[in-house]
Amino acid sequence: MTMMTPPPLEQQEDEEMLVPHRELTEGPQPMEVLSAETVSASENQQVEDPPTLKYRWTIENFSRLNTKKLYSDIFHVVGYKWRVLIFPKGNNVDHLSLYLDVADSATLPYGWSRYAQFSLAVVNQIHGKYTIRKDTQHQFNGRESDWGFTSFMSLSELYDPSRGYLVNDTCVIEAEVTVRKVVDYWSYDSKKETGYVGLKNQGATCYMNSLLQTLYHIPYFRKAVYHMPTTENDMPSGSIPLALQSLFYKLQYSDNSVATKELTKSFGWDTYDSFMQHDVQELNRVLCEKLEDKMKGTVVEGTIQHLFEGHHMNYIECINVDYKSTRKESFYDLQLDVKGCRDVYASFDKYVEVERLEGDNKYQAENHGLQDAKKGVLFIDFPPVLQLQLKRFEYDFMRDTMVKINDRYEFPLQLDLDKDNGKYLSPDADRRVRNLYTLHSVLVHSGGVHGGHYYAFIRPTLSHLWFKFDDEKVTKEDAKKALEEQYGGEEELPQTNPGLNNTTFKFTKYSNAYMLVYIRESDKEKIMCDVDEKDIAEHLRIRLKKEQEEKEHKKKEKAEAHLYTIIKVARNEDLMEQIGKEIFFDLVDHDKVRAFRIQKQLPFNHFKEEVFKEFGIPVQFQRFWLWAKRQNHTYRPNRPLTPQEETQSVGQLREVSNKTHNAELKLFLEVEIGPDLHFLPPPSKTKEEILLFFKLYDPEKEDLKFVGRLFVKSLGKPTEVFSKLIEMAEFPPNEEIDLYEEIKFEPTVMCEHIDKRISFKSSQLEDGDIICYQKSLTSTNRNQFRYPDVPSFLEYVRNRQVVFFRALEKPKEEDFSLELSKLFTYDDVVERVARQLGVDDPSKIRLSSHNCYSQQPKPQPIKYRGVDHLVDMLVHYNQTSDILYYEILDIPLPELQGLKTLKVAFHHAIKEEVVIHIIRLPKNSTVADVINDLKTKVELSRPDAEVRLLEVFYHKIYKIFPPGEKIENINDQYWTLRAEEIPEEEKSLGLHDRLIHVYHFTRDSNQNQMQVQNFGEPFFLVIKEGETLTDIKIRIQKKLQVPDDEFSKWKFAFISLGRPEYLQDSDIVSNRFQRRDIYGAWEQYLGLEHSDTAPKKAYTTNQNRHTFEKPVKIYN
């Protein structure tokens, strides 16, 4: 199957890969790590509110579906037919695959297309806030009639019944589709329509673009940036001030969207950084800190503080004694709670809320001991520009994951922070300052915690006009879209048949405000000042105007290209300069020779005058040859121009020489120079004469160079020109030489020995052919050289490859490089790497290939002799890399590949410790072998203790592995393998005893449904017939060693399918557990309800070895 070429890199942003569905082949797919969001460049200008439909698809008996893919019913949006396509077991990946499909694509007319923005979601039926939703947009057409996410969510998460995505074996899919009635994006002109231009997206830089537009439209900030000292010698890519000045200048004066690559280069970012989506707040702080530092010692020092810095006072005040502690702190932005707050004022109320320090939490007051006290925050002053970061993303400790808060949260157009007699202000605040603010910009995040898109609504002049800045595109928007539609919250799905009393569905709005910028009314005139050219340094104006002129010149050239022909003239000097240095095959790189831009109507004879002016070669001494591309893909001079052809126009000549419609005419200029270095007329050329080009090879220096050209008789023999060739090479007169014809080099080198005894014609030599020659070598002295003859040298040159090696544990750091051959075998490569690293055994070297899209190592290393040649290690789809990663193993790779590696957590029976052990055994080993190996590594409570292996997943025991089970298929990537001693009581179960699961749980009081959340280490417990809860509690407390005061707060419940039934001390517990077997019994267990006081792990489990979250850093 042929894979689609991945979208261009500048169109990638979301965490998952957006693709047409295609049945994926096994093995890694393009964009393994990086995923892609279709950027706004593919979006079109909205004419009116587009029609939207929300569709809900309920799939029953989901886990029993035996089809590879499944389509939903068809639904309609403005007459267009759509359906959802799902791969329940993944499209050859271990993730659920989910796509939107044009249902009637097969019957639509040729050339159809339609544009849609849409979101797809798998609903969490227990906790709505954990619904996984992903947004994208696409231009659907005949080639790409479906689009979506190949790796939507992991199958392990989907099929885990405790996670809430599969309830009663039912899965609920939601789709929200907006079909736009559009004007073609490419015809939309942001500057013309709005007066403003956008910023180009580098891949995942929409978060940066929205922030930069916001800062640019604070004129005082822009003016300060313009006044930062820079010089004409600075380079934007190495100077943050100059790069920002350049960017702001172009935003102010350009007619088209502006690139940000110079700015990100000045940050010290590489391509990989531009494909990592970061947090707007984090970038804002880092950028402002960096600018603050760069402004020190300049006329604009202190601007950042002046604009954005406010101060608050943290205080603790004792209630019963006269003692108060205060601390003044500054802030550049404020983080406001969204959860539990209806609007900005409620967030400020919460911010200054007084906390009581009493009981066990009394305050240790200096000289007063423990005291009841009040603790809180009040504001000393607010800045002229107030930046409010809304806490839309929070860490959910119950789920041990980040979640996005999409709750409705209102924010006013005018914000009065003096309200209620200045309740937010400290006693030290200057009450003469009126803290009334007007809204300047709203930064929006659209999507979920797994990825999304940023854009901004801005009022550049604080008038009633709002503009949406979405990467390249700027559009006029009304106030409702900028304010109310960004509050978030829920929206009801309209009933399709209102009279039938249908169930009402509510959909969460995943686009909502993330950051707000307010400007104080009293500072408005100063902040919203005029910024014009006199604020911009002269050298910057000159530099950028020159850039603009060059751009306009290129644009003009492009527009007039049809009137001109580019003539590229290669000369002997070019061949001398390039062969053996820049090129080795053919004769010249035409992109590096003198090019003339000539009007097509100009007679060629007049062009020869231009050549005279350029090279000083009189017209009568010039003879031009046409180049021809041969069938073997080589490019050689073919024939000289005839006198009649030289009377034609340049345009006519190009058409004769080049049947492909390209604007270039390639020529070779033949010039003869006599012994006295004067020009000579071109020699007459008969049909019996051919023009040959000669290269000389020196095996000792491994050097190839061009030495000249000769006319030879077609029927003559090579020996007739030996004396001339020896003279050209400066060899002794009687030197023996060997000749080879360079025939081709694609896809492989073809260079054949020429028989000196037969004619050139018999050797099939013709005009433009290349002969390489060298001194003849004896069989003895051939062994002195790595590449003794021309064919071996050309083979080497064609296949040589410099490879940059990096240690796998440091994938961003280059370690060393080696010059290798693409034809090296696997053994050749690891042998050279082992030699470089000083490793005695090359089989202990393991290599991993490079993913050209993610700029990371591929997750699966190269198997021992798993590829034939180096070139196979470097190819990644349609790209070739020059990077490999290495590991030094403690055992040979062939031996390791025959082993199964398992990570087993051993829980000691007596000590409070868990130790992770790495077990390596042959793949055909059994669980019993794992246990026996583990026993040699751990300390048991007694020598004859029996050990078992369990599968634990999300704090539940899913399986006890039978000793005879093969380990080859055991997966420890998602599940924890736990080993423990079998307690004595479990070995002698009575006839009426039960072995039950016991799990810790807590309940999320923030959720209406009070969902059970498991945590901690699950365990088994033997219960006797007739045993009361009181009896069992005694044993559990002893087993877990919980103090009395804490244990008294615990509650106990029988839990079946996530529903708790609380037990009384007198209840007979065994009556609830009627099943003897424990397999599948995680659905019924004894629950211990108490708070989770255990510290969170400092590491994250089940993490892909190359996936990591990277902080925003500006390096320069």
Side-chain angles (χ1 to χ4, degrees):
M1 189 217 79
T2 303
M3 275 301 302
M4 286 291 300
T5 302
L9 290 181
E10 64 267 24
Q11 296 187 5
Q12 298 158 7
E13 190 162 312
D14 203 348
E15 186 180 84
E16 299 299 338
M17 172 179 161
L18 303 174
V19 292
H21 97 255
R22 304 297 180 270
E23 311 254 347
L24 298 183
T25 52
E26 294 290 350
Q29 302 301 319
M31 304 300 295
E32 284 164 358
V33 176
L34 285 184
S35 43
E37 172 201 65
T38 323
V39 305
S40 61
S42 65
E43 194 178 316
N44 299 302
Q45 168 60 11
Q46 179 179 336
V47 175
E48 57 188 42
D49 281 348
T52 299
L53 182 115
K54 294 166 181 173
Y55 174 74
R56 190 175 178 101
W57 181 21
T58 301
I59 310 170
E60 297 177 347
N61 302 318
F62 191 84
S63 64
R64 293 194 288 279
L65 292 173
N66 58 7
T67 180
K68 184 174 183 183
K69 60 184 179 181
L70 187 68
Y71 289 97
S72 72
D73 291 339
I74 293 172
F75 54 94
H76 295 77
V77 186
V78 288
Y80 294 138
K81 295 179 180 179
W82 303 90
R83 59 186 176 179
V84 176
L85 167 61
I86 188 171
F87 285 69
K89 299 294 190 294
N91 188 0
N92 287 327
V93 292
D94 58 356
H95 284 65
L96 178 74
S97 303
L98 198 54
Y99 309 91
L100 181 67
D101 176 59
V102 176
D104 55 346
S105 59
T107 60
L108 290 173
Y110 178 79
W112 69 272
S113 71
R114 69 186 59 153
Y115 173 74
Q117 291 176 307
F118 62 95
S119 68
L120 298 169
V122 176
V123 175
N124 191 301
Q125 299 164 61
I126 297 172
H127 273 313
K129 71 175 181 178
Y130 298 124
T131 291
I132 295 178
R133 183 178 303 270
K134 296 184 180 180
D135 305 74
T136 184
Q137 51 201 12
H138 185 57
Q139 188 82 32
F140 292 84
N141 54 54
R143 286 185 59 218
E144 295 177 351
S145 61
D146 45 50
W147 193 257
F149 304 87
T150 298
S151 298
F152 187 84
M153 67 181 294
S154 70
L155 294 176
S156 60
E157 187 175 16
L158 173 64
Y159 283 96
D160 176 13
S162 69
R163 301 304 293 273
Y165 299 104
L166 220 53
V167 174
N168 297 326
D169 206 18
T170 297
C171 182
V172 179
I173 308 293
E174 288 181 350
E176 181 172 353
V177 182
T178 301
V179 177
R180 290 190 177 273
K181 295 179 180 177
V182 296
V183 175
D184 178 25
Y185 168 80
W186 301 108
S187 67
Y188 180 76
D189 186 331
S190 289
K191 187 68 173 263
K192 183 179 175 183
E193 298 293 333
T194 66
Y196 302 103
V197 297
L199 291 169
K200 292 177 181 174
N201 193 322
Q202 288 187 50
T205 53
C206 57
Y207 72 100
M208 180 181 73
N209 291 350
S210 58
L211 176 65
L212 290 172
Q213 289 282 17
T214 303
L215 293 174
Y216 167 80
H217 284 102
I218 300 172
Y220 191 96
F221 180 87
R222 190 191 332 158
K223 187 187 281 269
V225 167
Y226 283 150
H227 282 271
M228 292 176 75
T230 54
T231 71
E232 63 266 25
N233 298 322
D234 293 341
M235 290 302 294
S237 58
S239 163
I240 292 175
L242 183 57
L244 204 53
Q245 289 172 350
S246 173
L247 184 82
F248 281 4
Y249 181 92
K250 290 171 185 174
L251 282 174
Q252 192 162 348
Y253 295 106
S254 175
D255 291 331
N256 303 299
S257 59
V258 178
T260 58
K261 282 187 179 176
E262 279 187 345
L263 182 65
T264 55
K265 280 183 182 175
S266 76
F267 290 170
W269 291 3
D270 57 18
T271 308
Y272 181 71
D273 290 288
S274 299
F275 285 89
M276 290 286 288
Q277 190 179 93
H278 292 295
D279 179 67
V280 170
Q281 177 187 351
E282 190 181 6
L283 177 65
N284 189 22
R285 287 184 175 178
V286 172
L287 180 58
C288 284
E289 284 171 10
K290 190 62 65 172
L291 286 173
E292 185 180 344
D293 184 58
K294 300 281 184 186
M295 288 177 174
K296 284 178 182 172
T298 73
V299 293
V300 289
E301 181 174 359
T303 298
I304 300 296
Q305 295 96 316
H306 174 71
L307 279 177
F308 303 118
E309 187 176 60
H311 300 88
H312 52 54
M313 178 187 76
N314 294 294
Y315 69 86
I316 300 177
E317 185 175 4
C318 293
I319 296 171
N320 301 316
V321 297
D322 185 16
Y323 182 85
K324 186 174 184 179
S325 168
T326 61
R327 185 177 74 256
K328 181 179 178 180
E329 289 185 354
S330 63
F331 63 85
Y332 281 172
D333 56 46
L334 293 174
Q335 290 195 63
L336 300 184
D337 283 329
V338 170
K339 195 171 182 64
C341 300
R342 72 176 301 273
D343 59 15
V344 172
Y345 290 118
S347 295
F348 269 98
D349 291 343
K350 192 171 180 180
Y351 203 98
V352 301
E353 200 170 53
V354 177
E355 179 186 352
R356 306 282 292 195
L357 303 179
E358 55 194 12
D360 294 339
N361 196 29
K362 286 187 178 183
Y363 174 62
Q364 181 70 45
E366 190 177 343
N367 299 326
H368 296 283
L370 292 171
Q371 294 289 330
D372 291 340
K374 298 183 296 182
K375 178 183 178 183
V377 177
L378 288 170
F379 290 92
I380 299 170
D381 56 62
F382 292 105
V385 180
L386 180 62
Q387 299 180 110
L388 303 180
Q389 305 286 349
L390 308 184
K391 290 161 73 172
R392 286 284 182 189
F393 294 96
E394 286 189 357
Y395 188 79
D396 188 325
F397 286 97
M398 309 294 292
R399 304 281 287 192
D400 194 22
T401 187
M402 291 295 294
V403 294
K404 185 180 178 190
I405 310 298
N406 291 296
D407 300 355
R408 182 177 174 86
Y409 182 87
E410 298 177 10
F411 45 90
L413 193 59
Q414 279 210 319
L415 177 67
D416 187 357
L417 294 178
D418 290 332
K419 66 176 293 190
D420 296 344
N421 201 28
K423 65 179 178 179
Y424 305 130
L425 301 175
S426 76
D428 301 333
D430 185 351
R431 302 290 174 130
R432 292 171 301 175
V433 177
R434 181 75 175 94
N435 292 302
L436 180 65
Y437 286 84
T438 189
L439 185 62
H440 172 266
S441 45
V442 180
L443 277 71
V444 175
H445 179 266
S446 175
V449 73
H450 298 285
H453 184 53
Y454 291 91
Y455 47 90
F457 292 94
I458 300 175
R459 287 198 295 166
T461 61
L462 294 183
S463 69
H464 67 284
L465 291 175
W466 284 92
F467 297 87
K468 179 182 177 184
F469 292 82
D470 188 352
D471 287 339
E472 288 97 323
K473 192 174 64 173
V474 186
T475 52
K476 292 179 182 177
E477 303 290 352
D478 58 32
K480 180 182 177 185
K481 185 155 276 186
L483 277 73
E484 292 173 40
E485 291 192 16
Q486 308 314 320
Y487 290 165
E490 291 185 329
E491 189 177 333
E492 272 192 15
L493 175 64
Q495 294 185 5
T496 50
N497 296 297
L500 297 178
N501 193 27
N502 295 332
T503 304
T504 301
F505 291 115
K506 288 189 176 180
F507 283 78
T508 300
K509 296 167 76 174
Y510 286 84
S511 292
N512 37 53
Y514 178 75
M515 174 178 167
L516 307 172
V517 178
Y518 283 91
I519 292 177
R520 189 158 50 198
E521 284 283 350
S522 57
D523 293 296
K524 192 162 65 175
E525 281 191 26
K526 181 173 67 176
I527 302 300
M528 307 304 289
C529 57
D530 291 330
V531 183
D532 51 36
E533 282 216 347
K534 69 177 182 292
D535 292 302
I536 303 165
E538 186 180 4
H539 77 84
L540 182 65
R541 293 202 304 269
I542 293 169
R543 179 201 294 260
L544 296 175
K545 280 182 179 173
K546 187 177 177 184
E547 275 183 25
Q548 188 61 30
E549 285 168 6
E550 286 175 1
K551 195 173 176 182
E552 291 298 328
H553 179 66
K554 285 180 181 176
K555 189 176 177 182
K556 185 177 180 227
E557 277 192 355
K558 191 174 180 181
E560 296 176 349
H562 65 287
L563 302 174
Y564 290 84
T565 289
I566 303 297
I567 303 180
K568 292 184 174 180
V569 178
R571 301 181 298 145
N572 253 33
E573 290 83 348
D574 296 308
L575 277 60
M576 291 276 191
E577 187 177 314
Q578 292 187 23
I579 292 171
K581 302 180 185 70
E582 298 172 10
I583 65 168
F584 290 88
F585 301 98
D586 268 354
L587 292 171
V588 75
D589 179 350
H590 291 277
D591 290 334
K592 295 179 179 176
V593 303
R594 178 67 172 88
F596 299 82
R597 187 170 181 261
I598 304 297
Q599 282 195 335
K600 289 181 179 179
Q601 300 306 317
L602 187 76
F604 187 82
N605 280 327
H606 290 192
F607 164 69
K608 294 173 78 170
E609 296 287 349
E610 294 292 321
V611 173
F612 167 64
K613 291 177 189 174
E614 178 69 21
F615 298 130
I617 302 167
V619 170
Q620 66 271 28
F621 300 127
Q622 300 174 18
R623 179 157 67 188
F624 288 91
W625 289 66
L626 292 169
W627 293 79
K629 187 172 185 178
R630 298 181 175 180
Q631 287 186 336
N632 62 12
H633 304 295
T634 58
Y635 218 60
R636 307 288 170 79
N638 184 41
R639 65 175 179 84
L641 291 177
T642 64
Q644 292 80 8
E645 286 174 327
E646 291 193 357
T647 63
Q648 295 179 352
S649 71
V650 164
Q652 290 172 315
L653 204 53
R654 183 195 64 78
E655 287 172 16
V656 169
S657 74
N658 192 348
K659 302 232 173 357
T660 58
H661 297 289
N662 132 355
E664 292 182 356
L665 173 60
K666 294 181 177 127
L667 299 172
F668 175 72
L669 174 56
E670 177 198 346
V671 179
E672 295 295 328
I673 299 178
D676 57 356
L677 301 182
H678 285 96
F679 295 115
L680 300 175
S684 60
K685 181 185 182 305
T686 64
K687 289 183 180 179
E688 290 73 34
E689 290 179 309
I690 56 176
L691 178 64
L692 297 178
F693 293 80
F694 293 88
K695 298 178 184 179
L696 176 67
Y697 175 57
D698 181 345
E700 185 175 354
K701 296 179 181 176
E702 294 180 4
D703 176 57
L704 185 73
K705 63 182 180 182
F706 177 72
V707 288
R709 52 186 167 74
L710 292 175
F711 281 102
V712 301
K713 299 288 184 185
S714 177
L715 296 175
K717 296 178 181 178
T719 50
E720 295 170 14
V721 294
F722 268 21
S723 58
K724 186 65 179 171
L725 295 179
I726 288 169
E727 181 187 332
M728 289 161 63
E730 299 181 352
F731 288 163
N734 298 320
E735 187 71 57
E736 287 291 323
I737 57 174
D738 289 329
L739 277 61
Y740 301 86
E741 183 191 0
E742 178 192 316
I743 300 171
K744 64 169 189 166
F745 56 93
E746 290 288 356
T748 56
V749 173
M750 192 172 178
C751 182
E752 295 182 350
H753 189 268
I754 295 174
D755 190 337
K756 310 171 194 176
R757 298 164 300 175
I758 63 174
S759 68
F760 291 108
K761 185 174 183 179
S762 299
S763 294
Q764 298 183 345
L765 291 164
E766 57 186 34
D767 280 322
D769 278 338
I770 300 170
I771 292 178
C772 303
Y773 68 102
Q774 67 178 91
K775 288 181 182 180
S776 297
L777 298 178
T778 64
S779 56
T780 305
N781 58 13
R782 282 181 67 86
N783 298 328
Q784 299 175 15
F785 309 114
R786 283 201 311 168
Y787 308 106
D789 54 31
V790 174
S792 62
F793 176 72
L794 291 180
E795 191 75 50
Y796 153 70
V797 169
R798 174 70 180 80
N799 292 297
R800 67 180 169 183
Q801 172 73 55
V802 175
V803 181
F804 299 90
F805 287 89
R806 302 174 181 180
L808 187 65
E809 64 269 19
K810 297 178 181 177
K812 296 290 284 180
E813 298 177 19
E814 187 182 313
D815 197 342
F816 60 89
S817 62
L818 294 174
E819 185 183 284
L820 309 172
S821 169
K822 293 175 186 174
L823 301 180
F824 270 14
T825 65
Y826 174 91
D827 287 350
D828 294 331
V829 175
V830 293
E831 188 276 326
R832 289 290 300 277
V833 174
R835 192 192 315 163
Q836 174 73 25
L837 296 170
V839 176
D840 294 335
D841 184 356
S843 68
K844 289 185 179 179
I845 300 295
R846 180 163 68 175
L847 301 174
S848 293
S849 295
H850 181 69
N851 184 318
C852 299
Y853 299 109
S854 68
Q855 298 297 308
Q856 288 283 295
K858 290 186 182 179
Q860 297 301 322
I862 298 168
K863 291 184 176 179
Y864 179 72
R865 294 179 178 167
V867 294
D868 293 329
H869 299 103
L870 172 64
V871 67
D872 303 314
M873 300 179 186
L874 300 177
V875 171
H876 181 240
Y877 294 95
N878 57 349
Q879 296 192 36
T880 300
S881 163
D882 58 0
I883 297 169
L884 287 174
Y885 304 85
Y886 71 86
E887 300 167 86
I888 303 174
L889 305 174
D890 55 346
I891 62 173
L893 181 55
E895 186 180 332
L896 179 64
Q897 287 181 182
L899 301 177
K900 173 77 173 179
T901 302
L902 295 175
K903 187 166 62 176
V904 179
F906 179 71
H907 291 240
H908 199 279
I910 300 170
K911 299 178 184 177
E912 284 290 319
E913 67 177 26
V914 177
V915 182
I916 305 291
H917 291 275
I918 304 299
I919 307 292
R920 279 183 187 157
L921 290 171
K923 291 180 178 177
N924 60 357
S925 302
T926 64
V927 169
D929 297 322
V930 174
I931 291 170
N932 290 334
D933 187 82
L934 187 66
K935 282 181 176 180
T936 66
K937 295 180 167 70
V938 301
E939 179 188 349
L940 300 174
S941 62
R942 58 186 190 284
D944 62 342
E946 293 182 35
V947 176
R948 65 185 168 200
L949 191 65
L950 311 175
E951 181 181 88
V952 179
F953 186 59
Y954 283 101
H955 315 290
K956 294 181 181 180
I957 299 169
Y958 278 77
K959 183 175 183 179
I960 298 178
F961 288 99
E965 182 169 337
K966 299 285 187 185
I967 67 170
E968 187 169 2
N969 297 320
I970 292 179
N971 187 341
D972 63 350
Q973 184 180 359
Y974 302 108
W975 295 268
T976 301
L977 298 181
R978 185 171 102 189
E980 64 184 17
E981 294 183 25
I982 303 175
E984 286 299 313
E985 64 173 0
E986 292 185 26
K987 296 179 185 176
S988 53
L989 284 178
L991 182 62
H992 301 293
D993 293 345
R994 296 281 186 273
L995 186 62
I996 66 168
H997 293 236
V998 185
Y999 302 156
H1000 303 269
F1001 78 97
T1002 185
R1003 301 180 77 176
D1004 187 352
S1005 58
N1006 293 323
Q1007 296 295 318
N1008 296 331
Q1009 295 170 295
M1010 294 289 284
Q1011 171 63 18
V1012 165
Q1013 300 287 343
N1014 295 106
F1015 65 91
E1017 295 294 345
F1019 59 93
F1020 291 124
L1021 187 71
V1022 175
I1023 59 172
K1024 310 288 185 182
E1025 187 172 21
E1027 198 172 18
T1028 65
L1029 178 62
T1030 301
D1031 302 326
I1032 291 172
K1033 283 166 69 174
I1034 293 169
R1035 291 198 288 125
I1036 289 176
Q1037 184 178 4
K1038 182 180 178 183
K1039 179 181 177 71
L1040 301 180
Q1041 299 179 341
V1042 183
D1044 290 344
D1045 57 340
E1046 184 183 337
F1047 195 72
S1048 64
K1049 300 173 187 174
W1050 287 23
K1051 296 178 184 178
F1052 294 77
F1054 168 72
I1055 300 183
S1056 178
L1057 295 172
R1059 291 187 291 274
E1061 296 175 30
Y1062 287 93
L1063 302 174
Q1064 303 301 316
D1065 286 350
S1066 57
D1067 285 349
I1068 306 297
V1069 177
S1070 59
N1071 290 345
R1072 303 297 182 107
F1073 293 90
Q1074 297 302 315
R1075 296 172 58 177
R1076 284 187 58 82
D1077 63 287
I1078 60 167
Y1079 298 106
W1082 61 84
E1083 295 176 356
Q1084 290 188 350
Y1085 59 89
L1086 178 62
L1088 316 179
E1089 183 181 8
H1090 59 98
S1091 59
D1092 181 7
T1093 57
K1096 293 291 169 190
K1097 291 179 181 176
Y1099 62 91
T1100 303
T1101 56
N1102 304 332
Q1103 207 174 25
N1104 181 296
R1105 66 173 178 160
H1106 305 310
T1107 304
F1108 57 94
E1109 193 60 37
K1110 191 176 176 186
V1112 178
K1113 288 185 181 178
I1114 296 179
Y1115 301 92
N1116 295 328

